[in-house]
Amino acid sequence: MASTGSSGFLGRSSGSSNNMRGLVQFIADLRNARARELEEKRINKELANIRQKFKDGNLSGYHKKKYVCKLLYIYILGFDVSFGHLEAVNLISSTKYSEKQIGYLAVTLFLHEKHELLHLVVNSIRKDLLDHNELFNCLALHAIANVGGREMGEALGADVHRLLISPTSKSFVKKKAALTLLRLYRKQPAIVQPDWAERIVSLMDDLDMGVALSVTSLVMTLAQDNLELYKGAYAKAVNRLKRIVLDGEYTPDYVYYKVPCPWIQVKLLRLLQYFPPSEDKHIREMLRETLQKILDLALETNKNVQQNNAQNAVLFEAINLIIHLDTEHALMKQISQRLGRFINSRETNVRYLGLEAMTHLAARADTLDPIKQHQDVIIGSLKDRDISVRRKALDLLYSMCDHTNATIIVTELLHYLQNADFAIREEMVLKIAILTEKYATDVQWYVDISLRLIAMAGDHVSDEVWQRVIQIITNNEELQVYAARNCLQYCKQDHCHETLVKIGAYILGEFGHLIAEEKGCSPIEQYLALSSKLGACSSSTRAMILSCFIKFVNLFPEIKQQLVAVFSIYSYSLDAELQQRACEYLTLANMPTDDLLRTVCDEMPPFPERQSALLSRLHQKHSNTSDKRTWVVGGKDANRDQAELNMAKQGGLRKTFTNGSQATGTSAANGQPTGAVNDLIGLDMNNVGPAEQKTVKVPNLASSAHLSPGWERGFNRLLLRTDGILFEDLQLQVGVRSEYRGAMACLILYFTSKSPSIMTGFTTTLDLDESEKGNITWDIKGMPDPTLSHGGQTQQVILFEAKRVFQKAPTIRISYLSGSLQWYTLMLPLAIHKFMDPAELSAEDFFKRWRQIGGAPREAQKIFGLAPAARDAKRELNEDFIRRVVEGFRWGILRGVDPNERNFVGASVVHTTEGGKYGCLLRLEPNYATQMIRLTIRATDESVPPILLKMMEERLVVGMSTQTEKRPPPTVSEISDAFRNVMVR
C-alpha cells in the first residue's frame, strides 16, 4: 500500500512539474507576445512621426540623416519603410561625408538592381566618381558593387575603369575600382571592353601590393573568357612571383605569419594554370626556380597553425601548377612523393587538398603507378568523417581507375554506396556505371554490376544510367541471354525497384524468347513476373510493360489470352497514354491475321552510333562554376578529349563493351513515352548547351599592322649597321647592339627613360607574322625591369635563330605607365641579310658559279633609279653611297672580276639551321649619268634573290644627300664580348 501510495504520489508530482513548466512557458509566450505588440506599436508611432517630418519638409541635413538612420534600423527589424526611400536617395547628393555615407548605406539596403528609383541615383553616383574627393569615390564604388546591375554597369562602367587606370587615383581607390569592375563583369561581361585589356594587365606591376592583388583577381576572371586578349598577364605573373619568392620584393605589411604575400602568390599561381605553358625558355626557367623555392620552403616544419595554413595554400597551388605544366619532370617526381604524405595527414584541410592535387595528377600523369601505391589509403578516405574529403576520394578513385584495378575500385564503391551520403549517391552511381562500361572485359561482370548497382541505389539512378545499360545490351549479342535471365530473376523478387522493372520490360520484350526454353523462364513465368509489378508502378513503367506484352503476343501465342485480358482492363484506364496504348494493342492482338502484328513487333535494330550521355550528366555540376578549370575529373584519356575537357554536353564514351569502336547511342525505347524516348536517344533534352557566342577578333597590337609613327628611320639605319638608336622620342630611347654568327643573332635592347615621371609596368612583347612562324625563332634571356626612374636604363637580351629564309622581321611591343598608358610597336632590324657572311671568290670561280646557278627562278633582276621624293630632295647615287649599301648588306665585294670597274660584284653565304647554307652572287651596274641601276642577284635557292633584291632596292632608291654623312665609329669589340657572354650563359 505504501509502495502504491508512494508511486501515485510520485506520479502526481511528475505531472505537477510538467504542468508547472507548461505554465511558465505559457507566461513567457504571453510576455513575448506583449513585447512584440508593444514594439510594433512603438515602431508604428515612430514611423508616423518620421513620415510627418518628411511631409513637412524644411529638415536640415543632420535631421534627414538621423531619421534615415532610424528607418534603416526599422527596416532591418522587418518593417516596410518604402516611403523613406526617396529621402535616402536625396541624401546621396549632400556635400557632407557623414550625410552622404548614410545615404549610400540606405540605398544599398533599400534598393536592388531593378528598383524603380535606382535610375535617380546614377547621376549622383557618376558625380561622386568624378569628384576629387577619394572618400566620395569609394562610397560610389561601394554602391555600384553592392547594387549595380546591367543598366548601372553600362552607364558607369567606363567611369569605374577611368578611376582604376587614373595615375592620380590613390591606391585604396584603385583597389576598390578593380573589385567593382570585377563585380560588374560577373553580372554583365560586355561592360569590360576588349581595348581595356592591356591597361588592366599593366596594373599587375603596381608598386602597391594591394592594387596588384585586386587587379590580379580581376585579370583571373577576365582571362578565363579570353586567354588571347590577356596573354600578357602570363609573363607579368611569373615575374611578380619571382620578385616575391626569390628576390623578396614585398613590404612587411604583406607578410602573414612569415609567409610573404600568400594571397597574391595563390592568385598568380592559379592564373598561370589558365594559360598553356610558355614557350619562352627564360620565363620557363624563372618559373621553375620559383616553384622549386616554394617546394623547398614547404619542407620547413612549423608549429604555428596559421603559418602552416598559409604555406600549404601556396604549396598546393604550386603543385597544381607543376602538374599543369607537365614538363618539369624533376618537380613532378618531388610532388608525387609529397602527396602521399598529405593524404595521410591528421588535418582535414591538408587531406582534402592532397586528394584534390592527386586527382589533378591522375588527369595529367603518364603513369598511375605512384598514385596506385596509396590505393588503400584513398579507399579508406571514403569513410572520412568530412563529406568534402569523401567527395575528393571518390573523384580520385574515379580518375585513377584503369584495367588493372577496375574490379577492386568498383567493388569498393559498390560496398560504400550502401552507406554513402544521399548528397553524393547519384554522382557515385554515374561514376560506377562509367567505370563498369569502360573497363569491363567479362560479359557476366558487366551485367551483374550494372543490375546490382540499380537494385542498390534505384532512387538515385538517373535515366541516363539504365538507358545506357539497355543500349549496350541491345548492341552486344553475347550479353542478351545472360541479361534476360538476370532481369527476369530480379523481376520475380517481391521488392524490385521500378528502374529494374523498366529494364526487365524492355529486355524481356526483345530477348525473352531466347530464354523461354530454360527452366524457370517460361513465357507464363515471364508474364507473371511483369504483371505482378503493374499495380505499383508509375504510368511510364506500365506503358513499357504493355509494350512488352504486345511483343509477347507475337512471340508466345500460348499466353495470348492472359495478355489480351490485361489490354482489355487498361483500355478503360483514366490515363490517356495507357488507354491509347491498350486499345491499339488490343486491336492488333485481335486482328484476323498476324502479318501487321509481326511487322509492328519486329525486333529492334541496333542503336545507331552515338555518344553516351553519362559523362554529360556527370560533368553537369561543374559546367557553371565560376572557375573554369583546365582539366576535368578523370584520367589522362578523359583530358585528351577536348569535348570532355570543355565540359561539353555531348561528352560521351568512345567505346562499346566488347570492342574499341565508338560507343553506341539509342533509338526509340520499347514502347516508352515520348519524353523517355528522347532520353534514350542519348540527348540531354533538359540541359541545352550554351548558345554559341560571337567571338570578337582580338587585335594583335604587337603586330606590324600597328607600327608606331617614326619607326622607319631607326629601322632603315640599323639595317646596315650593327648598333645604334632604333627609336627615340621625348619619353623613351630604344638602342640596339647586335652581333651575328652564322644562323644565330644576339640583340641587346637598351631602354632609357627620358620621362620626368617614374615609368611602371614596363613590358615588352615580341611578335612575328603568321607566315613567318617557324622560319625564325627567339629565346629571351632577360626581362626588362618593370620600373624605370628618370634617366634610368634597363636592357633585354634576345637570341634569334634563322631556321629558314624569312622576309618579314619580328616586331616588339613596348608598353609602360607614365601618367597614362604609353605604347610603341617597333620593327626589329632583323633581316635575312644579317645572317649572311661575305665570301671571297676569284674571277674564274665567280663566273663558274654564276653560270651554274643560271637564270630564273634562281635569279632576280631589276632596273631602277632614285625615288621621286629623293630627286626632289637633291639626293644622288654615287660610288661611295652604293659601296656602303653593298657592304651594309654584308656582301663580300670582289675586285677585278667585272671588266667595268664601276660595277660592283659580290658574293656571300646565307646561313640557316634547317634550310642549310645558300650561296649568293651579286652584280650591280650603276649609271651615274642617268642615275639608274641594274641589280642582278642569283642564289642557290630561289626564295633568296627576290627578298634581297627588294630590300636593296628600297635602300638604294633613297640615294645619298649631297652633304657628307658621317658614319658613327664601330663598336664591334663590345658587341662581340656581350654576345660571347650571353652564349656562354
Side-chain angles (χ1 to χ4, degrees):
M1 292 293 293
S3 175
T4 305
S6 176
S7 174
F9 177 80
L10 290 175
R12 288 193 298 275
S13 176
S14 176
S16 300
S17 176
N18 291 335
N19 291 337
M20 183 61 67
R21 284 196 295 269
L23 180 60
V24 170
Q25 183 63 42
F26 176 71
I27 295 173
D29 291 341
L30 285 177
R31 287 177 177 175
N32 291 335
R34 178 62 177 168
R36 285 195 298 270
E37 184 180 348
L38 292 174
E39 179 187 74
E40 186 174 351
K41 185 177 180 180
R42 172 71 184 274
I43 288 174
N44 288 332
K45 181 179 179 180
E46 187 65 31
L47 286 175
N49 179 51
I50 295 173
R51 186 182 286 107
Q52 186 61 41
K53 293 290 185 181
F54 286 158
K55 184 181 296 185
D56 294 342
N58 299 323
L59 289 175
S60 64
Y62 170 79
H63 287 93
K64 280 186 179 180
K65 179 184 70 173
K66 181 181 70 173
Y67 289 128
V68 170
C69 284
K70 288 185 177 182
L71 290 179
L72 281 172
Y73 180 74
I74 294 171
Y75 174 77
I76 292 173
L77 292 177
F79 292 85
D80 180 26
V81 294
S82 57
F83 69 89
H85 289 180
L86 193 58
E87 297 296 334
V89 169
N90 291 334
L91 269 182
I92 294 179
S93 303
S94 174
T95 57
K96 292 185 178 180
Y97 175 77
S98 60
E99 297 172 9
K100 188 181 289 290
Q101 182 186 32
I102 296 300
Y104 273 114
L105 178 61
V107 164
T108 55
L109 281 175
F110 292 161
L111 308 185
H112 53 81
E113 63 182 69
K114 295 184 179 180
H115 198 281
E116 57 185 7
L117 293 180
L118 196 61
H119 70 280
L120 298 178
V121 302
V122 171
N123 288 333
S124 297
I125 293 177
R126 178 181 286 111
K127 182 180 178 181
D128 289 334
L129 289 176
L130 299 175
D131 200 289
H132 295 295
N133 189 325
E134 292 85 3
L135 298 178
F136 290 0
N137 297 158
C138 292
L139 289 175
L141 291 172
H142 286 163
I144 296 172
N146 285 292
V147 183
R150 176 176 178 176
E151 294 181 3
M152 183 178 285
E154 291 174 348
L156 302 174
D159 296 309
V160 176
H161 174 252
R162 182 194 56 78
L163 273 181
L164 174 63
I165 67 174
S166 174
T168 60
S169 295
K170 300 290 185 182
S171 295
F172 64 88
V173 176
K174 288 184 178 180
K175 289 190 290 185
K176 295 179 187 299
L179 297 178
T180 301
L181 202 59
L182 173 59
R183 182 68 179 268
L184 291 177
Y185 178 79
R186 285 173 173 166
K187 289 189 175 183
Q188 181 62 25
I191 290 172
V192 178
Q193 302 299 317
D195 55 355
W196 296 356
E198 188 173 12
R199 189 67 173 86
I200 292 174
V201 168
S202 66
L203 289 171
M204 291 176 64
D205 281 329
D206 197 277
L207 297 177
D208 188 279
M209 195 66 72
V211 175
L213 176 61
S214 301
V215 172
T216 302
S217 300
L218 175 61
V219 172
M220 281 179 63
T221 302
L222 298 174
Q224 292 180 59
D225 295 329
N226 199 328
L227 291 179
E228 183 64 25
L229 194 61
Y230 293 88
K231 63 182 179 181
Y234 194 94
K236 288 195 176 294
V238 174
N239 192 35
R240 190 93 195 198
L241 269 175
K242 181 246 184 189
R243 286 157 52 197
I244 293 173
V245 178
L246 297 180
D247 302 337
E249 290 186 16
Y250 50 84
T251 58
D253 297 342
Y254 284 88
V255 178
Y256 179 80
Y257 288 93
K258 300 181 181 180
V259 181
C261 318
W263 302 278
I264 195 169
Q265 282 195 61
V266 168
K267 288 183 180 294
L268 291 173
L269 291 167
R270 174 64 64 87
L271 175 62
L272 293 174
Q273 295 176 49
Y274 300 139
F275 295 90
S278 175
E279 297 179 358
D280 192 309
K281 294 180 182 177
H282 175 69
I283 291 180
R284 288 207 305 268
E285 181 62 21
M286 260 202 313
L287 187 56
R288 189 198 66 77
E289 292 177 0
T290 304
L291 292 172
Q292 183 63 64
K293 179 69 172 178
I294 293 174
L295 294 181
D296 293 341
L297 290 173
L299 290 175
E300 302 174 5
T301 56
N302 303 296
K303 294 183 179 179
N304 190 289
V305 176
Q306 286 83 358
Q307 184 176 352
N308 279 332
N309 289 339
Q311 204 161 9
N312 284 337
V314 177
L315 172 63
F316 280 105
E317 210 58 64
I319 288 174
N320 281 321
L321 177 56
I322 293 170
I323 297 171
H324 170 74
L325 296 175
D326 200 22
T327 54
E328 303 294 341
H329 300 294
L331 296 177
M332 288 281 280
K333 186 176 181 181
Q334 293 182 46
I335 65 173
S336 298
Q337 298 170 353
R338 295 189 187 189
L339 289 177
R341 296 198 300 270
F342 291 144
I343 63 176
N344 283 295
S345 173
R346 293 182 179 180
E347 296 184 26
T348 302
N349 291 336
V350 175
R351 291 198 305 275
Y352 174 89
L353 293 172
L355 291 169
E356 183 180 43
M358 199 171 278
T359 306
H360 190 187
L361 180 62
R364 299 286 189 187
D366 293 324
T367 175
L368 296 172
D369 292 340
I371 302 176
K372 291 179 182 177
Q373 296 174 3
H374 312 286
Q375 183 169 300
D376 293 339
V377 177
I378 298 168
I379 292 175
S381 298
L382 288 173
K383 302 177 179 65
D384 194 277
R385 61 181 179 274
D386 191 285
I387 186 173
S388 60
V389 175
R390 297 196 292 270
R391 282 183 180 274
K392 285 301 167 188
L394 174 61
D395 288 342
L396 179 52
L397 286 171
Y398 173 73
S399 299
M400 63 183 284
C401 187
D402 60 13
H403 291 285
T404 62
N405 58 5
T407 303
I408 297 174
I409 289 179
V410 170
T411 303
E412 289 292 338
L413 290 178
L414 275 174
H415 178 71
Y416 173 65
L417 181 61
Q418 298 176 354
N419 302 314
D421 301 82
F422 284 94
I424 63 173
R425 283 197 181 184
E426 182 179 354
E427 184 180 344
M428 284 194 69
V429 169
L430 283 169
K431 289 179 176 178
I432 294 172
I434 292 172
L435 294 179
T436 305
E437 176 184 346
K438 191 173 183 180
Y439 298 111
T441 55
D442 180 72
V443 173
Q444 296 185 4
W445 187 78
Y446 173 77
V447 174
D448 290 342
I449 295 297
S450 298
L451 297 181
R452 181 183 168 193
L453 172 66
I454 296 171
M456 290 174 56
D459 292 336
H460 304 279
V461 175
S462 60
D463 289 343
E464 289 85 357
V465 174
W466 66 267
Q467 290 163 7
R468 186 62 177 164
V469 173
I470 289 177
Q471 293 174 32
I472 293 176
I473 293 174
T474 303
N475 285 28
N476 293 272
E477 293 185 3
E478 62 270 37
L479 289 173
Q480 293 167 1
V481 173
Y482 188 79
R485 187 183 304 123
N486 279 269
C487 287
L488 178 58
Q489 298 306 315
Y490 274 104
C491 290
K492 284 184 175 181
Q493 296 177 6
D494 293 335
H495 302 286
C496 177
H497 196 274
E498 186 173 341
T499 304
L500 278 174
V501 176
K502 291 181 180 179
I503 298 178
Y506 188 100
I507 297 301
L508 292 177
E510 293 296 321
F511 313 113
H513 63 283
L514 300 177
I515 61 172
E517 302 298 327
E518 297 182 10
K519 183 178 179 181
C521 301
S522 63
I524 189 62
E525 289 180 282
Q526 294 184 36
Y527 161 75
L528 292 174
L530 291 176
S531 61
S532 64
K533 303 297 184 292
L534 274 170
C537 290
S538 63
S539 296
S540 61
T541 306
R542 292 180 187 179
M544 293 186 70
I545 295 175
L546 292 180
S547 297
C548 173
F549 284 174
I550 192 61
K551 292 205 169 189
F552 280 179
V553 172
N554 182 45
L555 296 173
F556 311 127
E558 61 270 28
I559 60 171
K560 180 177 179 180
Q561 183 178 355
Q562 292 90 332
L563 299 170
V564 169
V566 174
F567 297 149
S568 299
I569 294 172
Y570 279 93
S571 63
Y572 297 98
S573 174
L574 296 178
D575 187 290
E577 171 72 22
L578 293 178
Q579 185 185 100
Q580 181 176 351
R581 283 176 183 267
C583 291
E584 291 175 355
Y585 295 160
L586 186 61
T587 303
L588 280 174
N590 291 327
M591 294 186 74
T593 63
D594 295 338
D595 296 339
L596 182 58
L597 179 65
R598 291 194 185 97
T599 303
V600 172
C601 298
D602 195 11
E603 184 178 346
M604 293 288 289
F607 293 107
E609 292 189 357
R610 195 182 293 246
Q611 294 176 344
S612 168
L614 295 182
L615 286 175
S616 167
R617 184 77 174 188
L618 179 63
H619 294 308
Q620 182 180 347
K621 65 187 182 73
H622 298 297
S623 59
N624 294 319
T625 55
S626 59
D627 186 10
K628 299 179 182 178
R629 309 187 68 166
T630 56
W631 59 281
V632 295
V633 174
K636 192 161 188 176
D637 292 339
N639 284 271
R640 284 173 178 165
D641 184 355
Q642 193 63 34
E644 185 173 356
L645 188 62
N646 293 333
M647 309 293 184
K649 300 301 182 185
Q650 303 289 328
L653 297 178
R654 301 287 180 169
K655 53 190 286 188
T656 58
F657 174 74
T658 54
N659 53 47
S661 62
Q662 275 198 333
T664 57
T666 61
S667 68
N670 182 12
Q672 196 175 357
T674 307
V677 171
N678 290 333
D679 288 335
L680 270 178
I681 293 176
L683 300 176
D684 192 351
M685 303 300 291
N686 297 321
N687 294 282
V688 181
E692 185 177 353
Q693 298 181 352
K694 277 180 135 182
T695 56
V696 179
K697 180 65 176 176
V698 179
N700 183 5
L701 299 178
S703 68
S704 57
H706 297 84
L707 291 172
S708 301
W711 68 273
E712 302 98 330
R713 183 177 180 183
F715 174 80
N716 291 329
R717 181 169 56 244
L718 288 172
L719 277 180
L720 306 180
R721 300 178 184 179
T722 56
D723 65 290
I725 303 300
L726 178 62
F727 182 83
E728 184 174 17
D729 66 359
L730 296 177
Q731 289 196 336
L732 183 70
Q733 182 188 81
V734 182
V736 176
R737 293 168 60 187
S738 60
E739 184 175 356
Y740 298 84
R741 292 185 179 179
M744 301 297 297
C746 175
L747 263 68
I748 306 176
L749 301 176
Y750 294 91
F751 308 100
T752 305
S753 171
K754 300 171 65 178
S755 173
S757 59
I758 296 178
M759 292 182 178
T760 60
F762 196 93
T763 307
T764 60
T765 306
L766 269 67
D767 190 61
L768 188 65
D769 191 90
E770 287 294 333
S771 60
E772 301 291 352
K773 293 291 177 67
N775 293 339
I776 183 170
T777 59
W778 58 78
D779 182 15
I780 298 175
K781 291 298 181 182
M783 301 292 290
D785 296 332
T787 304
L788 279 178
S789 58
H790 175 64
Q793 187 181 83
T794 183
Q795 70 178 36
Q796 185 171 23
V797 181
I798 311 172
L799 292 183
F800 289 92
E801 178 184 357
K803 293 191 172 183
R804 288 181 289 274
V805 176
F806 63 94
Q807 184 173 359
K808 298 179 180 179
T811 57
I812 184 169
R813 168 85 168 179
I814 305 167
S815 63
Y816 59 88
L817 298 176
S818 180
S820 61
L821 179 66
Q822 305 291 330
W823 65 87
Y824 308 92
T825 302
L826 308 174
M827 187 169 287
L828 293 175
L830 207 69
I832 190 61
H833 73 272
K834 295 281 189 176
F835 299 92
M836 288 168 49
D837 283 335
E840 291 290 337
L841 292 176
S842 64
E844 181 181 355
D845 290 339
F846 176 84
F847 285 112
K848 179 181 178 181
R849 298 186 181 185
W850 184 269
R851 288 190 294 268
Q852 286 177 346
I853 295 174
R858 296 182 179 180
E859 178 188 88
Q861 186 182 83
K862 190 171 184 180
I863 300 174
F864 54 87
L866 284 173
R871 289 197 299 268
D872 296 340
K874 307 295 185 182
R875 302 178 75 88
E876 66 176 7
L877 293 172
N878 56 41
E879 183 177 356
D880 183 55
F881 169 70
I882 294 175
R883 184 180 303 278
R884 286 170 55 185
V885 172
V886 172
E887 289 177 347
F889 275 90
R890 302 174 67 88
W891 291 98
I893 298 179
L894 308 179
R895 292 176 173 81
V897 174
D898 197 292
N900 188 344
E901 295 182 356
R902 291 188 174 185
N903 294 345
F904 290 87
V905 177
S908 66
V909 178
V910 176
H911 297 272
T912 62
T913 54
E914 294 185 1
K917 299 179 181 180
Y918 306 113
C920 303
L921 302 176
L922 163 80
R923 190 174 186 219
L924 190 152
E925 305 167 78
N927 188 329
Y928 299 118
T930 61
Q931 292 289 288
M932 299 292 289
I933 291 175
R934 179 165 67 182
L935 179 60
T936 308
I937 298 177
R938 293 185 179 183
T940 55
D941 184 84
E942 61 186 45
S943 64
V944 178
I947 297 175
L948 293 177
L949 179 68
K950 181 181 179 183
M951 287 192 298
M952 291 190 68
E953 178 192 358
E954 290 174 350
R955 192 69 186 95
L956 288 168
V957 297
V958 176
M960 178 180 178
S961 175
T962 54
Q963 298 178 353
T964 305
E965 292 183 358
K966 293 184 178 181
R967 186 176 182 181
T971 56
V972 177
S973 60
E974 289 180 284
I975 299 173
S976 298
D977 293 340
F979 184 89
R980 190 178 302 108
N981 292 335
V982 172
M983 292 299 289
V984 169
R985 288 199 298 268

